[in-house]
Amino acid sequence: MPCPDDASPSRRRFLKRTALGAAGAALWPGAACASPQQDERASGREGRLPEGLPPEEQLGIALVGLGNYATGQLAPALQETRRCHLSAIVTGTPRKAKAWQKKYDLSEAHTYDYETFDQLAGDDAVDIVYVVLPNGMHAEYTVRAAEAGKHVICEKPMATSVAEGERMIGACDEAGVKLSIGYRLHFQPHHRRVMEWGQERVFGPVERMNNGFAFPIGSPEGNPAVQWRLDKAMAGGGALMDVGIYAVQAARYTTGEEPVAVTAEEFKEHPQKFDEVDETIHFELEFPGGAVGKGRTSYSDSYNRLRAEAADGWMELEPAYGYGGVDGRTHRGPMQIENVNQQARQMDAFAACIQEGRASRVPGEEGLRDMKVIEAIYDSIDAGQRVQIS
Ligand code: NDP
């Protein structure tokens, strides 16, 4: 399993509590400790989620690529969602098709492979196509989904280059469908607080950040999920594309600013294993307001932290980026915030955007901004010097 974001026992306990009927309260951030106004600010939404919509009013989601993330997180989250449900699957593995049909009560009519993918156009049960494929396949399947007239959620990183990202946004615009990126932390209450406190300068202007996400990727032998992550064409890059992107995101949403320059360095302890993609990268982002964001990522280490120091205080999340439970504190003490099912929130929020004609909080343009920073980080490594980000 290459991604460190496993469902932990604590998360499973939380899901069980939710399923047992904590209803709206358990699905809303800080329900046990904050006022409704604080809740709304923390969530960044204008209002509360409605109670579950009747099935006929819910949007149908087709999951594309039934790998670890779709199997372990998205499909279970779709049992918790209130505005959308799993209505179709796309897989190249017949054995998975059979198992999923049985487990999720899906018929052959709503089961596709990569050849028949475009027939989704005629499937009225599908409103949203969720691309959960290796990074190098995101652009092709996002464009094809848009051409089939479906709204799209595409996993992070949105693409393997800025050019691909622009093509994806263009295709969705042309087809008149919405594109959203799988940035689940924008729906996670600890991270919502960090965004709010950082951007509103609650502790004064943010001056320094130290964000890092790393996990030991393990051996590619017999593990297709590791194999494609070590393949440049399929992954676009290494640890930076996979998990370093969270450290880039964190720096951008803590300040609410776009970095203007970056200086980065790459390290390789295992050059044979990582002959195509990056193993470890350190970078320093400069923000127009004066903040400096140090970032680290690696496939051969283990850390998971967001820390921001402002003029009058600090805030820190650790563990920060997983879905097994985020924990946070500030100079004032622990953050008393309950964890939520991030993926259920993320998918329900996108369904609400479609139903209410609003823009996604994490549209394709948000993914593209990260791609620009990531390309600049690689440029800085290649050039061996600081580069401006345009
Ligand atoms: P996996 O390797 O576990 O799954 C990818 C799936 O894609 C495969 O199981 C397979 O499904 C399908 N696939 C189609 N063609 C290929 C191919 N040539 N090589 C490999 N797989 C292929 O990856 P993950 O689920 O971990 O990651 C998928 C995407 O989700 C990535 O973009 C990743 O960055 C993102 N992700 C996001 C997370 C988040 O927290 N937001 C967490 C983890 C991943 P099938 O057999 O059904 O065709």
Side-chain angles (χ1 to χ4, degrees):
M1 173 67 195
C3 188
D5 295 338
D6 296 287
S8 69
S10 65
R11 178 171 179 277
R12 283 197 293 274
R13 273 198 302 278
F14 165 72
L15 290 179
K16 197 162 173 215
R17 273 208 312 278
T18 308
L20 283 174
L27 279 174
W28 209 244
C33 61
S35 69
Q37 289 83 354
Q38 284 171 319
D39 286 344
E40 285 183 15
R41 278 211 317 272
S43 71
R45 285 181 54 88
E46 288 77 39
R48 285 179 175 273
L49 282 173
E51 293 304 314
L53 292 177
E56 65 279 8
E57 288 177 32
Q58 292 186 11
L59 300 188
I61 293 194
L63 289 179
V64 186
L66 309 181
N68 291 317
Y69 192 53
T71 305
Q73 304 304 324
L74 297 177
L78 281 163
Q79 310 308 302
E80 304 283 330
T81 42
R82 296 154 165 236
R83 284 183 174 265
C84 51
H85 63 272
L86 180 65
S87 63
I89 47 174
V90 180
T91 176
T93 311
R95 146 184 75 73
K96 292 185 191 170
K98 288 277 165 272
W100 278 62
Q101 284 172 354
K102 194 163 167 225
K103 183 163 185 182
Y104 295 110
D105 195 21
L106 295 165
S107 73
E108 193 63 38
H110 301 297
T111 303
Y112 302 85
D113 61 24
Y114 302 108
E115 301 293 312
T116 58
F117 177 91
D118 306 296
Q119 293 172 16
L120 279 166
D123 192 336
D124 292 338
V126 175
D127 303 285
I128 299 167
V129 168
Y130 197 147
V131 178
V132 207
L133 294 163
N135 310 340
M137 300 172 76
H138 288 182
E140 177 186 345
Y141 284 89
T142 294
V143 171
R144 284 170 67 178
E147 286 170 354
K150 304 298 178 182
H151 301 287
V152 187
I153 308 176
C154 178
E155 258 316 316
K156 46 58 55 179
M158 82 177 289
T160 58
S161 67
V162 170
E164 272 186 359
E166 286 171 342
R167 190 155 62 80
M168 293 158 73
I169 292 171
C172 290
D173 283 350
E174 200 169 310
V177 298
K178 290 187 192 294
L179 171 60
S180 194
I181 308 303
Y183 287 134
R184 57 186 165 73
L185 292 174
H186 284 252
F187 308 90
Q188 201 286 339
H190 296 78
H191 285 263
R192 296 297 306 167
R193 291 280 159 91
V194 166
M195 291 174 203
E196 177 200 329
W197 290 340
Q199 293 176 23
E200 292 182 12
R201 302 182 166 207
V202 170
F203 304 143
V206 172
E207 294 174 345
R208 288 174 301 281
M209 289 168 286
N210 223 311
N211 305 321
F213 197 12
F215 72 104
I217 191 164
S219 167
E221 221 165 289
N223 192 339
V226 175
Q227 286 159 14
W228 73 254
R229 280 177 164 85
L230 299 180
D231 176 338
K232 175 89 185 332
M234 282 302 247
L240 178 63
M241 281 274 183
D242 197 13
V243 287
I245 190 170
Y246 287 94
V248 171
Q249 269 273 301
R252 291 183 46 244
Y253 59 62
T254 302
T255 55
E257 295 178 359
E258 295 306 322
V260 291
V262 64
T263 309
E265 221 180 334
E266 181 180 2
F267 307 90
K268 273 202 212 288
E269 265 181 79
H270 307 95
Q272 265 188 318
K273 180 173 177 182
F274 298 101
D275 61 340
E276 293 197 20
V277 301
D278 44 285
E279 177 181 4
T280 299
I281 287 179
H282 294 181
F283 57 89
E284 192 171 285
L285 299 170
E286 297 168 37
F287 288 85
V292 173
K294 284 187 190 294
R296 292 188 298 156
T297 186
S298 179
Y299 269 154
S300 298
D301 206 337
S302 186
Y303 44 82
N304 181 351
R305 181 172 184 242
L306 178 160
R307 183 176 167 93
E309 289 170 23
D312 306 321
W314 54 265
M315 47 193 172
E316 182 177 80
L317 303 181
E318 188 172 17
Y321 308 107
Y323 29 76
V326 175
D327 200 8
R329 59 210 70 82
T330 72
H331 60 288
R332 292 177 179 161
M335 289 186 188
Q336 306 282 351
I337 304 175
E338 210 170 315
N339 277 285
V340 301
N341 185 323
Q342 301 170 20
Q343 290 87 355
R345 287 290 192 92
Q346 171 209 323
M347 291 187 278
D348 268 343
F350 188 49
C353 287
I354 293 166
Q355 288 167 328
E356 295 165 9
R358 289 187 283 111
S360 166
R361 191 189 291 161
V362 284
E365 287 76 6
E366 177 66 13
L368 189 63
R369 285 191 276 271
D370 280 342
M371 293 311 304
K372 287 185 175 161
V373 177
I374 285 173
E375 279 197 356
I377 291 173
Y378 287 130
D379 286 348
S380 170
I381 291 166
D382 288 346
Q385 61 183 36
R386 175 180 182 270
V387 302
Q388 305 272 0
I389 306 174
S390 49

